[in-house]
């Protein structure tokens, strides 16, 4: 039997190891010069004036909301089909997440339903660029402009995704994660991107206990700092990001060409969009038949996500008792299969052969 094909695998090489060794030898192992370098290079890559490195993607979302002065009494419209951190970051500020249903093909928030959910309390929209496919940014930025709403992007799965050449994270306040399953990693880590000097200043303050001058705290903050060890990994990972994203796109193209099981719905890419395939997500009306076969052949898989956020226990307890039919159907049918850059052609061929044999 051939060895297991993982659903995700970080691409850590000798460059990352050397860079970490250098930081360790320098004695400056908390947040320092390497983090400033990482921020500068990440901002340049995304195409924003500023980038602020933090301890996780969750911290990035939380800080972005706080820096935009979102809190108690505010409603933030977001997707119910995402990792729980998206909604939890809103709850953490005291604001209320309001869920809008998704588009069936891209799995991203549906601008038409977003419009329906706007009330006098709405202050922001937080789309998620799920699986690496950008949300409908043309429609969503129009809605924000028309209703004077703040745009905060959960780009935690979308490093390098773009719409008409403009990168995810450059439309509003961008939030990224560097968890090991994402398109680039720092082990744990995150980044906020913005063109707004004030947001940059506030985010840096909130990251470090609201501190302006040493031990003078002018507002409430947290310890959401990163480390130069993480940033050293990040600088090297950023150098590989384009090549690795291209590998993901090529792998996805291979899968879409060679999978011929008519019960499996393949992912789509909207015109003008660069999908960076953090996940290659298919759907199948009886996905556990597929799962069984994948498991027996040693092929990794993921179900992102089996339960919509409005059906999670902690949200039911908060009084959410609504329905979002397209999201719920996706939760019942989605199945992600390996697409990461370390797959060999042999791996890809084997995955397709296995799926076609069902
Ligand atoms: C990974 C992820 C997050 C959270 O990032 P962490 O670094 O794990 O805190 C938030 N939103 C989405 C959509 C994610 O995929």
């Amino acid at each position: 039997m051939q060895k297991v094909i993982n659903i995700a695998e970080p691409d850590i090489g000798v460059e990352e190891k050397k860079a970490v060794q250098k930081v360790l030898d320098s004695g400056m192992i908390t947040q320092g010069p390497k983090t400033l370098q990482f921020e500068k290079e990440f901002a340049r890559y995304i195409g924003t004036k500023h980038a602020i490195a933090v301890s996780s993607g969750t911290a990035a979302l939380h800080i972005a909301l706080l820096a935009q002065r979102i809190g108690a009494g505010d409603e933030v419209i977001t997707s119910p089909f995402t990792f729980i951190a998206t909604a939890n970051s809103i709850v953490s500020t005291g604001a209320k997440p309001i869920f809008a249903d998704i588009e069936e093909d891209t799995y991203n928030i549906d601008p038409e339903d977003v419009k329906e959910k706007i009330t006098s309390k709405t202050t922001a929209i937080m789309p998620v660029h799920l699986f690496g496919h950008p949300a409908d940014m043309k429609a969503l930025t129009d809605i924000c402009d028309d209703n004077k709403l703040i745009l905060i992007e959960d780009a935690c799965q979308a490093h390098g995704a773009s719409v008409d050449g403009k990168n995810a994270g450059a439309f509003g306040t961008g939030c990224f994660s560097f968890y090991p399953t994402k398109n680039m990693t720092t082990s744990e880590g995150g980044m906020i991107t913005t063109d707004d000097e004030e947001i940059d200043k506030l985010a840096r303050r909130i990251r470090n206990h609201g501190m302006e001058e040493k031990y003078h705290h002018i507002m409430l903050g947290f310890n959401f700092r990163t480390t130069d060890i993480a940033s050293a990994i990040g600088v090297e990972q950023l150098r590989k990001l384009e090549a690795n994203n291209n590998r993901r796109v090529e792998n996805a193209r291979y899968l879409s060409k060679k999978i011929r099981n008519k019960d499996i719905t393949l992912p789509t890419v909207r015109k003008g969009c660069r999908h960076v395939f953090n996940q290659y997500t298919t759907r199948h009306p009886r996905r556990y038949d597929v799962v069984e076969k994948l498991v027996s052949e040693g092929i990794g898989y993921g179900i992102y996500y089996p339960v919509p956020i409005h059906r999670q226990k902690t949200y039911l307890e908060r009084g959410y008792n609504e329905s979002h039919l397209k999201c719920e159907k996706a939760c019942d049918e989605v199945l992600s299969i390996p697409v990461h850059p370390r797959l060999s052609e042999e791996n890809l061929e084997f995955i397709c052969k296995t799926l076609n044999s069902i």
Side-chain angles (χ1 to χ4, degrees), residues 7-8 81 130-131 181 279 281 301-306 330 334-336:
I7 180 72
F81 190 55
L130 200 70
F131 305 139
T181 57
Q279 296 296 341
T281 302
Y301 72 95
I303 294 176
Y304 314 111
Y305 297 90
V334 286
L335 178 64
S336 300

Side-chain angles (χ1 to χ4, degrees), residues 1 13 17 34 48 52 67 97 107 124 126 128 136 142 145 163 198 205 223 294 308 323:
M1 197 176 125
K17 290 174 194 166
K34 204 70 195 177
T48 55
I52 308 96
Y107 304 110
M126 186 188 272
V128 182
D136 187 348
D142 282 351
D145 290 346
V163 184
E198 183 67 14
R205 226 182 251 158
N223 175 0
L294 292 174
S323 228

Side-chain angles (χ1 to χ4, degrees), residues 56-58 61 82-83 85-86 128 154 156-157 177 179 182 189 305:
S56 70
T58 307
L61 292 163
T82 175
F83 181 54
T86 313
V128 182
D154 182 338
C156 286
Q157 302 181 0
S177 165
Y179 189 74
K182 316 291 181 178
Y305 297 90

Side-chain angles (χ1 to χ4, degrees), residues 16-307:
E16 284 82 354
K17 290 174 194 166
K18 270 194 193 151
V20 167
Q21 186 70 49
K22 232 171 158 177
V23 171
L24 291 175
D25 289 343
S26 79
M28 180 68 224
I29 59 175
T30 57
Q31 190 180 288
K34 204 70 195 177
T35 299
L36 284 173
Q37 181 192 346
F38 183 32
E39 290 175 339
K40 214 180 219 169
E41 292 178 4
F42 196 82
R44 191 187 312 136
Y45 175 77
I46 297 299
T48 55
K49 286 193 189 130
H50 311 280
I52 308 96
V54 295
S55 53
S56 70
T58 307
L61 292 163
H62 192 177
I63 293 175
L65 288 156
L66 292 174
Q68 292 282 7
R69 299 191 163 79
I70 288 161
D74 293 327
E75 292 181 354
V76 179
I77 302 174
T78 191
S79 173
F81 190 55
T82 175
F83 181 54
I84 194 111
T86 313
N88 281 0
S89 67
I90 299 167
V91 174
S92 298
T93 68
K96 185 171 191 220
I98 301 292
F99 301 112
D101 208 349
I102 59 167
E103 301 170 331
E104 209 151 31
D105 50 353
T106 70
Y107 304 110
N108 285 320
I109 198 170
D110 180 354
E112 287 309 310
D113 203 39
V114 168
K115 281 189 212 162
E116 298 288 315
K117 298 298 189 294
I118 295 173
T119 71
S120 59
K121 290 182 182 167
T122 308
T123 48
I125 301 178
M126 186 188 272
V128 182
H129 307 296
L130 200 70
F131 305 139
H133 191 302
D136 187 348
M137 297 317 292
K138 166 96 185 63
L140 292 169
T141 49
D142 282 351
I143 293 171
C144 286
D145 290 346
D146 293 347
N147 297 278
K148 298 201 167 32
L149 301 175
I150 294 158
L151 178 66
I152 299 176
E153 302 170 69
D154 182 338
C156 286
Q157 302 181 0
H159 322 63
S162 63
V163 184
D164 296 330
K166 185 169 175 170
N167 278 326
F171 291 87
T173 309
C175 303
F176 294 85
S177 165
F178 303 126
Y179 189 74
T181 57
K182 316 291 181 178
N183 293 40
M184 59 177 281
T185 186
T186 63
S187 81
E188 296 275 4
M191 191 78 83
I192 301 155
T193 51
T194 180
D195 278 332
D196 187 326
E197 205 158 314
E198 183 67 14
I199 297 299
D200 175 61
K201 197 169 79 186
L202 279 170
R204 288 174 190 282
R205 226 182 251 158
I206 295 163
R207 173 176 68 177
N208 194 23
H209 283 299
M211 192 157 86
E212 187 71 352
E213 276 173 71
K214 208 154 200 173
Y215 303 120
H216 292 263
H217 305 272
I218 62 170
M219 65 186 289
L220 196 67
F222 301 87
N223 175 0
F224 282 155
R225 296 182 306 264
T226 187
T227 70
D228 268 20
I229 301 170
S231 297
I233 302 173
V235 166
E236 299 307 323
Q237 287 275 296
L238 185 58
R239 291 200 175 118
K240 299 177 176 175
L241 180 62
E242 272 306 293
N244 276 338
N245 276 346
N246 287 334
R247 285 290 298 276
R248 287 175 182 274
V249 172
E250 283 166 26
N251 291 350
R253 202 171 287 151
Y254 185 104
L255 293 169
S256 291
K257 206 169 106 191
K258 297 284 175 73
I259 295 172
R260 290 209 191 81
N261 182 323
K262 65 177 180 8
D263 291 328
I264 295 174
T265 308
L266 303 174
T268 58
V269 184
R270 185 188 280 129
K271 198 165 165 284
C273 288
R274 184 187 189 209
H275 185 341
V276 289
F277 288 97
N278 177 249
Q279 296 296 341
Y280 183 92
T281 302
T282 68
R283 56 202 298 166
H284 189 288
R286 298 166 312 281
R287 72 175 162 212
Y288 289 104
D289 296 352
V290 183
V291 166
E292 200 178 318
K293 183 77 184 168
L294 292 174
V295 170
S296 75
E297 296 291 351
I299 300 170
Y301 72 95
I303 294 176
Y304 314 111
Y305 297 90
V307 181

